[in-house]
Amino acid sequence: MYYSDKLGIPKTDFSRWRLRTSELGAQRWEYLSTEASQKDPQNECTKYLLNEIFPRPAAPTVPNTASQALDNAATFFSGIQDHKSGTWPNQYKGPMFMSIGYVVASYFTGMEIPEPTRKEMIRYLVNTAHPVDGGWGLHEKDKSTCFGTTMNYVVLRLLGLSDEHPVCVKARKTLMRLGGAIGCPHWGKMWLALLNLYKWEGVNPAPTEMFVLPYAVPIHPMRWWVHTRAIYLAAGYLATSKIKCELTPLLEQLRIEIFSKPFDMINFSSNRNTVCGVDLYYPHSTLLNTLNWFMVKYEKFVRPKWLLDYSNKKAYELLLMEMKNTSYLSIAPVSGAFTAIVLFVEQGALGKDFKRSYDRMSEELFMGPLGMTVMGTNGSQTWDSCFAIQSFFISGLAKKPKYHDMIVRAFEFLVRSQFDTECIPGSFRDKRIGAWPFSTKEQGYTVTDCTSEAMKAILIVMNSNEFVDLHEKFDMKKLYDSIDVVLGLQNVGSFEFGSFASYECIKATPLLELINPAEVFGNIMVEYPYVECTDSSVLGLIYYSKCQKYRHDDIQLAVKRAIEYIMKAQNDDGSWYGSWGICYTYAGMFALEALSQVGQSYENSEVVRKGCDFLTAWQLNDGGWGETMGASETHSYISSRSSLVVQTSWVVIGLLLAEYPDQQVIRRGLDLILRRQQKSGEWLYESDEGVFNHSCAIEYPNYKFIFPIKAIGLYLNRYGDFSILHASS
Ligand SMILES: CC(C)=CCC[C@@H](C)[C@H]1CC[C@@]2(C)C3=C(CC[C@]12C)[C@@]1(C)CC[C@H](O)C(C)(C)[C@@H]1CC3
C-alpha cells in the first residue's frame, strides 16, 4: 500500500493506461476510456511497468543450474521488450526538479494538463515526500532541501492540491524550517520569478550578451557543457526580459504560503545569494559574486536597450535552431521547459514552434506504480538497447532461437537511431552523422560512449552467423562516419590528453567552474574527461578495428592514448571514480573491461591488480558488493550494509574480465546474484544505480537485468555451469 492510498489520494484506473511508442523510440502514455480499453489490451511491457501483476508468475522451470537461472532471466527480460520500438521503456526517474518545468510551462501558457496526468503527478509527489518531514530533496532519496521542497510544493498546489491538505501542511512546515522559499538556489529562484512568486531583482543575472561574443573568446557559452548552455540560453532570455506571468488568486495565495515573511516586506535584491545551507553543494566563488555585483549594476545603469534586444534576438534564434536540431524536444527537460516558455512569449499560444515544443514535453512524462513524473531525459532507449544486445551475445543467449526476434528488434532500433542529418549551420553543434544518442535519434545529441557502444552492438550482430538475415539491413560503410565522430571526440589538445568526455570534446578551461551559478551541482560548466566514457570508446574502437580496416592506424593511436589516460586516471588506492553510475564499482567494471581488451590482466598488469584488489577489499559478508550515493558525493567508497545486485554484477564482470585468479571470491558474488533472483526470473529494484553532477541520483531500471545477465554469462564462459540450491529469495 502506498502512502497516497493511505491518505485517500485519488488514483487513476491503471488498466486504462497504454504506453504508445514509435519506431524511433518516442514514448507517450495515453489514458483510454473504459470501452476503448477493453478493445485494446495492455501489452506485457506496460503491465510490467505498472506493476499490474504482482507477484508475477514463476518461470516455467525452477532453475537447478546457473545456466537455467540465466535463461529464466533472459526470458523475463525479453518478455518486457516493447515490440514496436524494439526498446525497453522504463521510468527513468530520480531527479526531483524536472516536473516543475512541465507544470510551470503549462500554467504560464494556459495549457491544460490532462486530468489523469494531473492526478498521477500528485500521487507521485505524495508518494515521494520524505516519510518523516514531508519535504522533497534534489532527488527521490535525498534529505529534504529548500529547492526540492519549494518546487514540489508549488507543483502540488498548481496541480490543485489544497493548502489545507495534510501533505501540503506537512511540507510547508518543513519549508518554513528551511527558512522558506527565499533560500532556493538559482534555478529555483528562476522558476518562482516566472510564476511571479519572486522578484527578478533577487535572481542572479544570466546575461544573453555572452552569446553574441565571438566564438574565439575562450569562455564563450557555446564551449560550455551542452546542458548548461542550453539551460542558460533559454533562462537568460527569460531573466533578462524579466518575464513573469500574471498574478492569479492562486499565485497570490502561494506568495503567502512559501515565504516566512509577508511578500511585500522581502527585500529580494539582497537575497540574490541566499541559499539554504542544506541545499548548497557548490558555493559561489568570490569571482562569481564580484561578477554578479557588476552585472547587476550594468543591467540597471549601463545596458543599452538595443544591446539587450539584439542579444535576446540572437538567443531566440539559437533556441529555434536547438528546437529544430532536437525535433522540438530540446536536449533535456529543464532547458525544454524554459525554451517552451520563450517560444510562447515570442509566438503566443498559437505559435507553431511553441505548440510543437509543448506537445513534445509529454514524451518526458512517464507513468509508474508511484504515479507520474517527468524523467531525467526522454528515456534511455539507445543506451539500454546496446547493452541488452551485447549481454545476450556475451552470455551465449543470442544463439538460442527464442531470443532471435528480441535481438532483431533491438538491432533494428539501433540501425534506425543512427544520426543521418547534420545540425543546422550556425547552431554551434559538431558533426553528428554516424553517431548515436543516449535516448532517441530525435533528441539529436551525440554521446561519446553511446556511439561506441552502439557501434559495437551493431558489429556484434553483423559478425554473427545466427543473424545473417540482418546483414543486408545495415551498410557497414555507415560506420565510417561513426569512427570519424568517435575519433574526433577524443581530447587531444591541451585538456586531459587521450580522454573522452560526454557529448563533445573539452572546449574550455575547467576554471569556468569558478562561475558555476547553479549552487546545487558540481562540474556542470564545461565538459570533463570521464573514465567510463573513455573506456566505452576504447571498447567500440577496438572491436571495430578487429574486424574492419577503415582508419586502422588512427584507431590504434587513439586506443593507445585512451588506455594511457585510463591508467593515469586510476587513484592511488586502485580505484576509478565513476561519474554516471554509483560509483567506484561502476567505473571499476568499465576500466577493467577496457584494459582487458588490450591484453592487461591481473597476472600481467599492476594497474589491473590494484583495480581488482581495491574492489575485492570491499566484498561484504553476504558475498556481494554495494555502494551508496554517498560515494559519489564525497569521492570515497561508502559501502551499503548489504549487497546490491547491480553493483555486485559490475564487480563480478570486472573481476572476470581481469582474469582475477581467486574463483571463490567471484563465485560468492555470483551466488548473491542468483539468490536474489525471483521465481519469475527477474530481479527487483533495490537502489538507484546512476548519478549525475556528483549530487543527483537517478534510476536505470534495466541495469538490474542487463548486468546480472552479463555477469552470469561471463562466469559460465570461464568456469562452466554448476548446480544451485536456491534460485529465489
Ligand atoms: C544538472 C542538469 C543540467 C540537469 C539535467 C539532467 C541531465 C543533465 C542528466 C540526466 C541524465 C544524464 C545523467 C545522462 C548523461 C548526461 C547528463 C544527463 C543527461 C549521460 C549522457 C552522460 C554520459 C554517460 O556515460 C551516460 C550515457 C550514462 C549518461 C546518460 C544520462
Side-chain angles (χ1 to χ4, degrees):
M1 197 185 204
Y2 294 112
Y3 187 50
S4 60
D5 300 327
K6 279 196 199 144
L7 295 180
I9 299 275
K11 185 179 175 190
T12 57
D13 176 353
F14 273 30
S15 70
R16 286 166 57 186
W17 285 103
R18 298 292 176 279
L19 175 62
R20 306 293 188 206
T21 56
S22 76
E23 292 202 327
L24 289 179
Q27 309 164 349
R28 261 174 209 261
W29 286 88
E30 203 182 308
Y31 195 64
L32 301 183
S33 67
T34 319
E35 308 77 69
S37 173
Q38 276 153 4
K39 285 187 219 124
D40 175 3
Q42 239 171 10
N43 62 19
E44 288 309 304
C45 167
T46 310
K47 280 190 198 145
Y48 169 73
L49 290 168
L50 295 178
N51 227 348
E52 276 292 72
I53 307 169
F54 199 83
R56 282 177 269 274
T61 34
V62 180
N64 293 319
T65 58
S67 63
Q68 281 168 4
L70 174 66
D71 197 53
N72 284 352
T75 305
F76 187 91
F77 186 58
S78 68
I80 57 168
Q81 184 185 33
D82 168 61
H83 286 202
K84 180 152 181 206
S85 59
T87 66
W88 283 264
N90 59 88
Q91 196 174 28
Y92 182 47
K93 67 181 170 74
M96 294 302 287
F97 57 94
M98 303 286 176
S99 295
I100 183 77
Y102 171 66
V103 173
V104 174
S106 304
Y107 195 81
F108 193 103
T109 61
M111 301 298 285
E112 204 178 321
I113 297 178
E115 187 57 14
T117 302
R118 195 185 66 79
K119 271 193 187 156
E120 289 298 337
M121 287 186 82
I122 295 182
R123 266 190 76 242
Y124 175 79
L125 288 180
V126 169
N127 286 326
T128 52
H130 192 283
V132 177
D133 65 25
W136 296 268
L138 188 65
H139 56 93
E140 226 183 84
K141 314 295 178 323
D142 198 11
K143 68 217 170 275
S144 297
T145 63
C146 181
F147 186 31
T149 307
T150 310
M151 296 298 104
N152 293 304
Y153 181 84
V154 170
V155 168
L156 277 180
R157 296 282 289 118
L158 296 182
L159 289 173
L161 204 66
S162 142
D163 61 330
E164 281 160 24
H165 193 283
V167 172
C168 288
V169 173
K170 199 169 167 191
R172 215 164 44 233
K173 214 166 140 200
T174 293
L175 183 57
M176 289 309 130
R177 182 176 54 79
L178 294 167
I182 200 76
C184 270
H186 198 206
W187 298 0
K189 287 181 161 70
M190 292 201 280
W191 288 122
L192 293 178
L194 284 167
L195 285 172
N196 213 338
L197 297 176
Y198 198 96
K199 294 206 174 146
W200 276 110
E201 68 232 37
V203 183
N204 274 319
T208 40
E209 281 94 334
M210 292 182 299
F211 290 89
V212 295
L213 292 171
Y215 185 74
V217 176
I219 58 160
H220 190 281
M222 287 310 193
R223 297 174 182 273
W224 299 359
W225 192 40
V226 281
H227 286 281
T228 309
R229 87 167 71 134
I231 290 172
Y232 280 95
L233 182 59
Y237 175 103
L238 298 167
T240 51
S241 330
K242 304 205 181 333
I243 302 288
K244 56 180 189 241
C245 71
E246 232 169 84
L247 204 56
T248 60
L250 174 60
L251 295 176
E252 264 182 273
Q253 182 59 34
L254 270 169
R255 280 184 169 188
I256 302 172
E257 292 167 26
I258 61 173
F259 294 103
S260 57
K261 271 202 220 165
F263 190 83
D264 295 328
M265 309 251 303
I266 302 173
N267 179 351
F268 285 95
S269 55
S270 66
N271 280 292
R272 278 188 298 117
N273 297 324
T274 309
V275 180
C276 176
V278 185
D279 291 58
L280 203 58
Y281 180 79
Y282 203 87
H284 288 184
S285 63
T286 319
L287 175 67
L288 179 62
N289 284 336
T290 317
L291 286 176
N292 278 337
W293 188 88
F294 278 110
M295 266 324 291
V296 169
K297 301 284 172 240
Y298 162 81
E299 291 197 337
K300 211 163 168 186
F301 304 112
V302 184
R303 176 191 270 154
K305 171 127 177 16
W306 66 263
L307 182 56
L308 180 62
D309 291 347
Y310 177 72
S311 40
N312 276 354
K313 187 166 162 275
K314 174 79 181 164
Y316 176 58
E317 281 164 15
L318 286 168
L319 285 171
L320 280 179
M321 290 190 217
E322 159 79 357
M323 286 325 240
K324 290 187 179 132
N325 291 334
T326 60
S327 327
Y328 289 85
L329 282 161
S330 182
I331 182 168
V334 179
S335 53
F338 280 129
T339 308
I341 299 178
V342 174
L343 297 178
F344 176 83
V345 170
E346 285 274 346
Q347 308 182 345
L350 298 177
K352 74 174 189 333
D353 298 308
F354 163 68
K355 283 205 302 207
R356 283 193 197 158
S357 72
Y358 185 80
D359 174 62
R360 282 268 159 162
M361 290 174 93
S362 334
E363 292 174 22
E364 291 153 352
L365 282 165
F366 208 96
M367 181 60 192
L370 298 181
M372 193 172 233
T373 189
V374 174
M375 302 193 288
T377 60
N378 64 325
S380 55
Q381 298 85 329
T382 303
W383 183 241
D384 289 340
S385 304
C386 299
F387 285 130
I389 294 179
Q390 294 183 22
S391 66
F392 270 60
F393 271 91
I394 217 155
S395 50
L397 293 161
K399 285 206 180 75
K400 298 194 176 187
K402 61 177 163 177
Y403 303 121
H404 188 89
D405 291 353
M406 178 206 102
I407 289 172
V408 171
R409 284 188 288 265
F411 170 84
E412 288 180 343
F413 173 73
L414 290 185
V415 170
R416 286 193 294 275
S417 302
Q418 189 182 21
F419 295 131
D420 51 10
T421 58
E422 292 300 0
C423 292
I424 299 175
S427 47
F428 298 94
R429 294 280 304 279
D430 296 338
K431 178 179 165 345
R432 71 176 173 190
I433 290 182
W436 275 271
F438 170 69
S439 58
T440 61
K441 178 183 184 178
E442 289 175 308
Q443 185 263 5
Y445 272 85
T446 300
V447 181
T448 55
D449 49 3
C450 300
T451 301
S452 272
E453 298 287 359
M455 185 168 74
K456 186 171 163 196
I458 295 232
L459 278 169
I460 290 176
V461 178
M462 295 296 285
N463 288 339
S464 144
N465 293 333
E466 274 85 25
F467 292 86
V468 267
D469 53 325
L470 290 182
H471 293 179
E472 65 192 31
K473 296 222 166 152
F474 187 76
D475 177 2
M476 291 292 271
K477 289 204 189 80
K478 284 194 185 165
L479 293 184
Y480 294 172
D481 289 319
S482 322
I483 289 292
D484 291 347
V485 171
V486 176
L487 290 175
L489 282 166
Q490 188 168 34
N491 296 308
V492 287
S494 45
F495 302 116
E496 309 290 346
F497 195 82
S499 68
F500 286 80
S502 59
Y503 295 83
E504 296 182 338
C505 293
I506 305 174
K507 295 182 175 173
T509 161
L511 283 174
L512 266 170
E513 219 57 58
L514 287 172
I515 58 161
N516 173 353
E519 293 131 355
V520 286
F521 303 107
N523 287 22
I524 61 162
M525 290 307 291
V526 292
E527 277 283 8
Y528 286 89
Y530 295 109
V531 76
E532 308 99 293
C533 299
T534 311
D535 299 323
S536 286
S537 304
V538 165
L539 296 175
L541 289 172
I542 293 187
Y543 196 90
Y544 181 86
S545 71
K546 279 190 183 152
C547 51
Q548 301 289 315
K549 293 198 190 69
Y550 183 66
R551 294 189 68 180
H552 191 265
D553 294 346
D554 296 338
I555 295 178
Q556 300 315 309
L557 182 64
V559 167
K560 185 176 157 280
R561 289 168 164 174
I563 292 287
E564 277 163 15
Y565 173 79
I566 296 166
M567 291 165 64
K568 212 177 70 199
Q570 187 179 38
N571 298 314
D572 289 343
D573 61 6
S575 68
W576 283 274
Y577 177 81
S579 298
W580 308 109
I582 298 172
C583 174
Y584 294 94
T585 44
Y586 181 73
M589 167 187 72
F590 275 104
L592 293 173
E593 177 154 12
L595 293 170
S596 77
Q597 293 306 303
V598 290
Q600 293 200 27
S601 67
Y602 193 86
E603 205 194 47
N604 65 21
S605 155
E606 176 65 19
V607 171
V608 172
R609 234 178 347 258
K610 277 174 74 181
C612 293
D613 292 344
F614 172 84
L615 292 171
T616 53
W618 285 103
Q619 188 166 30
L620 291 164
N621 285 338
D622 60 14
W625 284 262
E627 239 187 311
T628 66
M629 176 61 196
S632 308
E633 286 167 327
T634 61
H635 292 235
S636 55
Y637 195 103
I638 301 182
S639 179
S640 50
R641 247 184 249 145
S642 66
S643 294
L644 300 166
V645 165
V646 172
Q647 289 160 342
T648 303
S649 306
W650 291 340
V651 177
V652 166
I653 294 167
L655 294 178
L656 283 166
L657 292 168
E659 294 171 33
Y660 185 72
D662 186 345
Q663 181 183 355
Q664 265 323 301
V665 169
I666 305 177
R667 175 60 186 273
R668 289 179 59 223
L670 202 78
D671 285 343
L672 180 114
I673 299 172
L674 293 170
R675 271 202 311 277
R676 294 271 174 93
Q677 188 178 25
Q678 305 297 300
K679 291 197 176 73
S680 56
E682 74 191 296
W683 284 273
L684 301 179
Y685 166 83
E686 294 178 333
S687 179
D688 290 5
E689 301 84 356
V691 61
F692 59 87
N693 305 116
H694 305 219
S695 55
C696 193
I698 186 160
E699 288 176 36
Y700 284 78
N702 287 323
Y703 282 5
K704 60 182 172 295
F705 297 104
I706 291 164
F707 293 109
I709 288 177
K710 181 166 175 182
I712 303 173
L714 281 173
Y715 186 94
L716 295 178
N717 291 348
R718 182 156 175 219
Y719 296 113
D721 206 359
F722 58 93
S723 56
I724 45 177
L725 296 175
H726 334 267
S728 60
S729 56

